[in-house]
Amino acid sequence: MSSILPSVTEALTLDSSVPSAPLRQVLGACPHDCPDTCSLLTTVREGVAIKVQGNPAHPQTGGVLCNKVSRYTERTYHPERLLQPLRRTGPKGSGQFEPVSWEAALSDIAARLQAIARRNPEAIVPYSYAGTMGQVQCESMAGRFFNKLGASFLDRTICATAGGEGMAQTLGGKVGMRVEFFAESRLIIIWGSNSIGSNLHFWRYAQQAKKNGARLVCIDPRKSETAEKCHEHIALLPGTDAALALALMHELVSHDWLDHDYIDRHTVGWPALRERALQWSPERAAAVCGVPAEQIRSLARDYGQCFIDGHPAAIRLNYGMQRVRGGGNATRAIACLPALIGAWRHRAGGVLLSTSGLFPVDKAALQKPELLDGRRPRTINMITIGDDLLRESSADFGPKIEALIVYNSNPVAVAPESGKVVRGFEREDLFTVVLEHFQTDTADHADYLLPATTQLEHWDVHSSYGHTDALLNRPAIAPLGQAKPNTQIFRELAARMGFAEPCFLDDDQTLCRAVYGDKVDFQTLLDQGFATLDLPDAPFAEGGFPTPSGKCEFFSERLAAQGLDGLPDHVANYEAAGTSAKFPLGMISPPARNFLNSSFVNVKSLRDMEGEPLLEMHAEDAAARGIASGSIVRVFNERGEYLVKAEVSPRARPGVVNGMGIWWRKMGLGGTNVNQLTSQRLTDLGRGPVFYDCLVEVQAV
Ligand SMILES: Nc1nc2c(c(=O)[nH]1)N[C@H]1C(S)=C(S)[C@@H](COP(=O)(O)OP(=O)(O)OC[C@H]3O[C@@H](n4cnc5c(=O)[nH]c(N)nc54)[C@H](O)[C@@H]3O)O[C@H]1N2
Ligand SMILES: Nc1nc2c(c(=O)[nH]1)N[C@H]1C(S)=C(S)[C@@H](COP(=O)(O)OP(=O)(O)OC[C@H]3O[C@@H](n4cnc5c(=O)[nH]c(N)nc54)[C@H](O)[C@@H]3O)O[C@H]1N2
Ligand SMILES: [Mo]
């Protein structure tokens, strides 16, 4: 173990000028929903965290943190941190509360839930996502609690399920290249990702590759911070990625830039896919994608010839390209590409969307599905919470939703068609409990608002979806005020509900050990804060995909058996740009760099960097509407409207506006945000969201 990695019990005096106040450094993990899952070093003086840094001894972090998390003490000690339980005093949604004791809050919550559960426990719905990605503070004790209760299941689909399903059908799961080997690639295609903003530590590997002569190509409707630093930017229309991928295949076939040996031995369905691809000439795809055919040809040439020269080509796919109707199919089409050129033969070749499938998380040990005792509750999709909160009981829906327990999520800001979400949360007959750090838009609608600890105050264990190291988070400081970890809140609620199983007494360190069982060495996590999974360098050099056939499945029998297309295809957006006279502009709403979804919007120094909610517009689209940079505009469609500051910007392509996300409604202009306009429709595969499949019109106000 390296000497710069003190254990939590070791007092480190770093600042010799203050001998009376020894500094301690505590190893942790960044909890946020980001592929990078950084190893953190928190410096503590007299029980106060004074600095949060990237751990230099963790190679994936390399001592570097993003803007947001390097300001973590500002968030932790924010004057508006929730520090005591609160009970609603005003009308639903008014955000008016009075302090209440934990005892009173938990007893009343338990009594209310028991009364509903006696009628039908499925009327109670948990609502959580990735405010923290910790395996323990997410669904461990909470999962046990809701399983025992028999509450509705939540389909946690709001981010990644279309792409996840596309990967599962093609490669067998969320598996792929190891991120560090991108440094050795000679062609890197960054597909649907603004890496500088959302995957900074991957971008560092891409920079190393660039220094060694690699070519970087970015495929994104928006000229992002990343796109402008690549050698080439392909600014396709939203939701047209499958058409582009099929045209690339067309060119690989036409020029025979194919690895026939790899295709023969390690894939299924090539004759059928070949035929499909031959229907997609670069000209046909160019018309669909809104890019020049020559740009498609030249990318195919780079991709097809790269590997023939022995230089690996790698694709960094990210979730930005799957938030449209055809997101699952598009992911499938792109995931086929590396097998065609045999890129998997080299460790620096292939594709990476997510590494999360490589972690041996023992979900059953954490969530104890046996507590369901044979019951199979209905499932509510978190994307359609707006509609579902407004539904009455019916045979097909089940019971009307009577109670919501929200933790690790801010649905009033992040779920689509938020006009409906707000109407649902405003129901006076809905009982809502929110576990939070701050009084978010969702928290405003709570009956009880319970203060949760932050990552600096609790234990956890983390997998990553962008690298292949597991991490441990130790608490650096005591809980602030009366805040409690999510686990503890559910433990205490369970006791008041009379849940007597001993698993409700497991403490957080026991839960930490249960995450991977004996599959990851816990002592290594304790000693150095991270443990690298033992994985082959080039996982599919000799095939061995985790699909039913063990091959890369160009054709999926499993999809065909469901009556779906067994081959990937272009599935046009529900709301494709240029198909409506009333709402002529496509709108995407990618993350703003200094926010993380709706987290950090209330951190002043970060909000100051973002300024105001922003809509980027191409000069032609702005001129046609008499809109100048800096003017406030109304963006609207049939679902709703929001107000933003327009910026005439080369970042926007013609026909598509970029409504940068995700502001708290109450901190934006006019009390709504971009999700007032997005739709609750679902993707082709995986029941995912279609945030970037949205038509709007823009008007000067
Ligand atoms: N700073 C910051 N980092 C984040 C987040 C954040 O909010 N802020 N969010 C985190 C989360 S929740 C996730 S899931 C991850 C992954 O995060 P992603 O959502 O993948 O985030 P981005 O890297 O911004 O990638 C989205 C990119 O996709 C582009 N895009 C939109 N539509 C299309 C399309 O149809 N095709 C293609 N090719 N591109 C399209 C957008 O313009 C944008 O540049 O990042 C995480 N990291
Ligand atoms: N228009 C549009 N909408 C989008 C997206 C988009 O690109 N465009 N992106 C979508 C994506 S990819 C995602 S992943 C979702 C994200 O949606 P969410 O997962 O809801 O993410 P956040 O908005 O960051 O809200 C997380 C909340 O959890 C709280 N939290 C953090 N840690 C803890 C904890 O330990 N305990 C408790 N109790 N609370 C905690 C934070 O304070 C924060 O308010 O949004 C989606 N919405
Ligand atoms: Mo996400």
Side-chain angles (χ1 to χ4, degrees):
M1 198 214 334
S2 149
S3 59
I4 65 159
L5 291 164
S7 83
V8 69
T9 50
E10 225 177 299
L12 251 201
T13 307
L14 296 181
D15 182 355
S16 52
S17 64
V18 201
S20 57
L23 300 180
R24 246 171 10 110
Q25 287 201 312
V26 182
L27 275 171
C30 178
H32 285 288
D33 187 351
C34 167
D36 294 18
T37 318
C38 290
S39 174
L40 303 182
L41 265 183
T42 302
T43 306
V44 182
R45 178 194 282 140
E46 294 181 322
V48 177
I50 55 172
K51 196 174 189 183
V52 176
Q53 292 163 279
N55 177 3
H58 181 229
Q60 301 288 0
T61 305
V64 177
L65 290 184
C66 66
N67 250 344
K68 305 175 291 298
V69 178
S70 55
R71 284 177 172 69
Y72 221 59
T73 53
E74 188 180 343
R75 185 176 189 276
T76 308
Y77 296 108
H78 196 294
E80 287 158 14
R81 257 299 288 281
L82 297 170
L83 297 175
Q84 56 189 338
L86 299 172
R87 178 166 57 202
R88 173 166 76 95
T89 53
K92 263 290 167 75
S94 64
Q96 293 163 17
F97 297 99
E98 63 183 6
V100 59
S101 69
W102 270 111
E103 174 52 41
L106 293 176
S107 301
D108 192 31
I109 293 167
R112 300 277 303 259
L113 294 181
Q114 274 168 332
I116 297 169
R118 272 194 292 274
R119 292 192 297 278
N120 191 339
E122 289 174 284
I124 302 169
V125 178
Y127 197 101
S128 70
Y129 200 64
T132 168
M133 305 262 316
Q135 300 288 345
V136 170
Q137 300 304 334
C138 273
E139 310 310 333
S140 68
M141 204 45 83
R144 294 175 186 187
F145 180 84
F146 291 111
N147 281 339
K148 173 71 187 173
L149 187 59
S152 289
F153 288 139
L154 184 73
D155 213 0
R156 291 183 172 82
T157 47
I158 202 156
C159 174
T161 48
E165 185 64 14
M167 284 308 219
Q169 292 297 339
T170 313
L171 305 182
K174 287 182 177 171
V175 296
M177 282 180 67
R178 297 243 298 274
V179 67
E180 52 271 36
F181 298 137
F182 276 90
E184 299 167 11
S185 306
R186 292 298 293 272
L187 171 68
I188 299 179
I189 303 178
I190 299 175
W191 203 320
S193 178
N194 180 10
S195 316
I196 293 179
S198 68
N199 193 188
L200 186 64
H201 295 78
F202 155 76
W203 181 249
R204 296 187 332 142
Y205 293 122
Q207 289 313 290
Q208 258 171 274
K210 195 176 175 188
K211 257 187 227 123
N212 297 333
R215 186 172 166 76
L216 268 46
V217 180
C218 184
I219 302 177
D220 192 316
R222 174 171 185 255
K223 187 165 197 169
S224 65
E225 294 85 342
T226 307
E228 71 191 6
K229 292 201 171 58
C230 288
H231 295 101
E232 188 168 358
H233 173 212
I234 302 184
L236 79 187
L237 286 165
T240 62
D241 300 271
L244 175 59
L246 286 161
L248 294 179
M249 291 180 204
H250 178 282
E251 292 301 281
L252 297 180
V253 174
S254 307
H255 297 272
D256 197 26
W257 292 322
L258 296 166
D259 185 333
H260 293 283
D261 174 62
Y262 194 93
I263 293 171
D264 288 346
R265 290 194 295 134
H266 304 307
T267 72
V268 291
W270 173 232
L273 180 64
R274 184 178 181 279
E275 204 174 302
R276 171 78 45 97
L278 287 174
Q279 295 163 17
W280 282 92
S281 67
E283 281 70 24
R284 180 179 173 202
V288 169
C289 300
V291 301
E294 188 40 48
Q295 206 173 21
I296 300 177
R297 284 210 171 80
S298 110
L299 178 62
R301 197 177 311 119
D302 289 344
Y303 190 71
Q305 296 199 327
C306 185
F307 203 60
I308 289 172
D309 295 344
H311 297 149
I315 301 174
R316 181 61 170 109
L317 202 54
N318 214 327
Y319 289 113
M321 47 68 65
Q322 47 98 66
R323 298 189 184 114
V324 291
R325 181 187 188 178
N329 265 277
T331 307
R332 290 205 65 212
I334 295 163
C336 293
L337 292 168
L340 292 175
I341 61 165
W344 291 116
R345 290 181 190 274
H346 194 290
R347 68 181 190 176
V351 58
L352 170 62
L353 173 61
S354 166
T355 52
S356 64
L358 299 167
F359 287 83
V361 177
D362 191 346
K363 272 201 176 148
L366 293 173
Q367 300 181 19
K368 307 272 183 206
E370 61 274 20
L371 293 167
L372 281 164
D373 203 14
R375 294 166 297 179
R376 303 234 13 215
R378 60 129 178 236
T379 299
I380 298 288
N381 187 323
M382 67 190 299
I383 295 162
T384 54
I385 193 67
D387 276 342
D388 291 343
L389 281 176
L390 299 174
R391 287 171 80 163
E392 295 298 325
S393 302
S394 71
D396 123 75
F397 179 59
K400 180 174 179 170
I401 299 175
E402 292 183 58
L404 265 184
I405 318 287
V406 183
Y407 51 104
N408 305 339
S409 186
N410 184 11
V412 171
V414 305
E417 205 173 353
S418 37
K420 286 192 176 167
V421 181
V422 169
R423 265 169 54 211
F425 271 84
E426 280 173 351
R427 273 176 43 201
E428 286 288 341
D429 64 341
L430 179 73
F431 179 61
T432 304
V433 179
V434 177
L435 284 61
E436 253 298 348
H437 299 151
F438 294 106
Q439 194 171 331
T440 61
D441 292 326
T442 304
D444 279 342
H445 293 81
D447 291 280
Y448 279 101
L449 180 49
L450 305 178
T453 46
T454 69
Q455 190 77 346
L456 299 190
E457 300 150 62
H458 56 227
W459 285 92
D460 220 324
V461 161
H462 290 254
S463 304
S464 168
Y465 64 98
H467 60 68
T468 43
D469 293 351
L471 280 85
L472 175 75
N473 184 72
R474 290 171 187 266
I477 55 172
L480 296 195
Q482 298 179 38
K484 295 180 196 268
N486 293 342
T487 43
Q488 182 61 16
I489 298 173
F490 283 107
R491 225 177 254 126
E492 293 184 18
L493 260 184
R496 282 172 180 75
M497 302 280 288
F499 296 169
E501 285 79 359
C503 70
F504 288 105
L505 300 175
D506 286 352
D507 64 15
D508 282 7
Q509 291 184 56
T510 304
L511 293 169
C512 283
R513 286 177 189 273
V515 171
Y516 305 118
D518 57 10
K519 303 242 170 57
V520 172
D521 181 42
F522 200 73
Q523 195 57 45
T524 306
L525 288 177
L526 285 170
D527 290 346
Q528 61 171 21
F530 66 93
T532 302
L533 301 181
D534 184 16
L535 295 164
D537 281 1
F540 310 127
E542 277 306 317
F545 293 90
T547 52
S549 63
K551 299 184 175 194
C552 173
E553 299 195 347
F554 296 152
F555 184 88
S556 168
E557 289 291 353
R558 290 174 289 168
L559 289 178
Q562 294 169 46
L564 300 170
D565 194 344
L567 291 172
D569 204 355
H570 168 62
V571 178
N573 276 5
Y574 292 116
E575 303 182 12
T579 57
S580 158
K582 219 165 146 194
F583 303 113
L585 297 169
M587 180 181 73
I588 59 174
S589 43
R593 185 173 174 183
N594 294 295
F595 300 153
L596 201 134
N597 302 319
S598 78
S599 296
F600 298 98
V601 177
N602 64 327
V603 175
K604 188 168 180 312
S605 66
L606 293 167
R607 191 170 65 248
D608 287 349
M609 283 183 227
E610 291 297 333
E612 284 166 300
L614 199 70
L615 185 83
E616 296 169 349
M617 282 187 98
H618 188 268
E620 284 170 20
D621 294 324
R625 291 165 180 79
I627 291 168
S629 269
S631 53
I632 303 299
V633 295
R634 188 170 83 94
V635 191
F636 61 100
N637 62 21
E638 261 147 18
R639 290 177 287 269
E641 66 173 59
Y642 84 124
L643 297 177
V644 275
K645 191 169 85 177
E647 183 167 290
V648 180
S649 166
R651 293 204 189 280
R653 56 153 290 151
V656 180
V657 291
N658 310 326
M660 304 310 289
I662 307 173
W663 281 73
W664 287 16
R665 292 162 63 89
K666 58 184 169 186
M667 289 188 170
L669 310 166
T672 61
N673 73 12
V674 69
N675 277 323
Q676 196 81 4
L677 280 68
T678 53
S679 97
Q680 296 179 70
R681 299 185 82 162
L682 302 181
T683 49
D684 54 348
L685 301 174
R687 310 165 307 283
V690 297
F691 290 113
Y692 304 164
D693 182 341
C694 180
L695 285 179
V696 303
E697 180 53 294
V698 182
Q699 236 176 27
V701 292

